Amino acid sequence: MPIIVCPEDDRYVCIDGNTRLTIYHELLAEGAPGDWNAISCLILENPEQRDIETIRVTAHLVGAREWPAYEKARYLHYLRNVEFMDYDELIARCGGNRKLIDEQIDAFHDMNTFYRDVSSDDAFQVDRFSGFVELQRKNVKDAIFSADLGLLDFGNWIRSGQIYKLADVRKLPWVLADEEAKNTFINGGVRSIEDAIAIVEENRRKDTKSPAEKTTVAKASMAVLAQALLEKVKSMPREDYLALRDRNYETADQDVELLNDLAENLLDLLRDVSK
């Protein structure tokens, strides 16, 4: 964990981590094995006194606690784009993997570029950060651009509450590909994406092969549906697999998102019911 310092004249003043710094000085003076000439640090440029006191109170009175996701991403962004730290060192220091680090950094950039209102800090809510992490999912940005929209639009949807539950960001490819749902979402108010998702799901139900099949599926038990899906996956023809993997048909992206959504909901259910 790096110490925290801020520049003062021609030196740096330690804000948090004095004990670690003292230990380094003592080990250096003793000639202990190892390199004690340098210690990792996070530099605060032009901090206000309130920022300094907040750091000290958090470290010494409140105690160590998990960083908020936005602050973790800010730190990763700083290390990668200001300190130019390579991925191996980032992973060693912060954990994770390259894909996860890139997602966090990109989410931090997108949130500050397309959501943050520079004229009012009150409009900036860091608890909306996970929506920008969801934005990094495969096909979400492509769906926005394909609908002749942009990331400023996305920032406005988050700010206005049209996307209120941030997990609904992953449903954007469905919504934007359905003209009726798209219009309901874009022209609606708070939580309008939820109405749009309902339209998509209803339109999908209408696309079943026959009324009889629709009735049969609706009445089937969860166990029967699970068994049928399991057999379907196990016996999936290779050409169908390749078409899905390579997105060789129009609704492939939506099918993958639907399967992802099913998998996540099944995992949640299993966690709840497992003993």
Side-chain angles (χ1 to χ4, degrees):
M1 190 71 178
I3 66 172
I4 301 176
V5 301
C6 64
E8 185 176 295
D9 299 325
D10 58 348
R11 63 196 183 106
Y12 289 98
V13 176
C14 184
I15 302 301
D16 177 51
N18 282 288
T19 300
R20 279 165 283 163
L21 186 58
T22 299
I23 292 171
Y24 264 59
H25 286 156
E26 291 175 351
L27 291 170
L28 180 62
E30 293 171 5
D35 182 9
W36 309 108
N37 288 293
I39 186 171
S40 296
C41 68
L42 178 62
I43 301 173
L44 297 181
E45 297 287 351
N46 302 316
E48 295 181 359
Q49 187 61 34
R50 179 180 176 182
D51 297 327
I52 294 173
E53 295 305 326
T54 298
I55 290 170
R56 286 173 172 159
V57 167
T58 301
H60 300 290
L61 296 184
V62 179
R65 67 172 93 182
E66 187 76 4
W67 278 16
Y70 175 82
E71 296 301 331
K72 290 181 182 178
R74 189 215 299 264
Y75 183 50
L76 288 170
H77 181 274
Y78 171 82
L79 293 179
R80 180 64 183 155
N81 297 314
V82 178
E83 293 294 327
F84 303 109
M85 186 175 291
D86 63 37
Y87 284 101
D88 288 342
E89 190 173 354
L90 274 174
I91 292 169
R93 176 178 293 194
C94 304
N97 55 55
R98 180 168 179 165
K99 180 177 182 294
L100 180 61
I101 288 171
D102 279 340
E103 284 180 352
Q104 295 290 308
I105 292 173
D106 290 344
F108 175 82
H109 171 270
D110 288 346
M111 187 174 195
N112 282 276
T113 304
F114 303 108
Y115 169 76
R116 185 165 203 151
D117 184 350
V118 296
S119 66
S120 172
D121 282 340
D122 292 338
F124 185 65
Q125 300 177 17
V126 295
D127 62 355
R128 311 305 283 165
F129 177 69
S130 67
F132 290 84
V133 176
E134 295 287 351
L135 177 63
Q136 312 311 314
R137 278 175 171 260
K138 184 176 176 61
N139 303 320
V140 174
K141 286 185 179 180
D142 288 344
I144 293 172
F145 299 143
S146 296
D148 294 325
L149 298 163
L151 299 185
L152 281 173
D153 295 301
F154 179 83
N156 287 331
W157 299 333
I158 298 293
R159 185 182 295 108
S160 68
Q162 285 170 270
I163 300 177
Y164 186 79
K165 293 187 297 184
L166 299 176
D168 284 341
V169 171
R170 67 189 68 169
K171 304 287 184 63
L172 270 175
W174 297 6
V175 169
L176 298 178
D178 183 304
E179 199 62 31
E180 180 185 2
K182 174 183 172 183
N183 289 333
T184 296
F185 167 53
I186 291 176
N187 298 319
V190 174
R191 294 180 179 263
S192 62
I193 196 171
E194 296 171 27
D195 294 331
I197 291 169
I199 291 171
V200 171
E201 292 173 346
E202 178 60 28
N203 288 342
R204 281 173 173 257
R205 284 193 289 270
K206 290 177 182 177
D207 289 338
T208 52
K209 292 181 180 179
S210 68
E213 182 180 3
K214 177 180 177 181
T215 301
T216 301
V217 171
K219 291 183 177 181
S221 69
M222 187 179 299
V224 169
L225 290 172
Q227 183 63 39
L229 182 58
L230 179 61
E231 292 174 1
K232 190 80 172 176
V233 170
K234 286 183 174 180
S235 62
M236 186 178 192
R238 181 162 176 77
E239 58 268 24
D240 290 351
Y241 161 77
L242 292 174
L244 182 63
R245 186 194 70 181
D246 299 334
R247 309 297 194 270
N248 285 340
Y249 60 97
E250 186 175 349
T251 62
D253 287 336
Q254 289 88 343
D255 289 351
V256 169
E257 285 298 319
L258 181 62
L259 290 169
N260 274 327
D261 197 31
L262 171 63
E264 290 171 0
N265 279 276
L266 281 174
L267 284 174
D268 289 341
L269 174 63
L270 288 171
R271 291 190 191 100
D272 288 342
V273 301
S274 295
K275 294 182 179 179

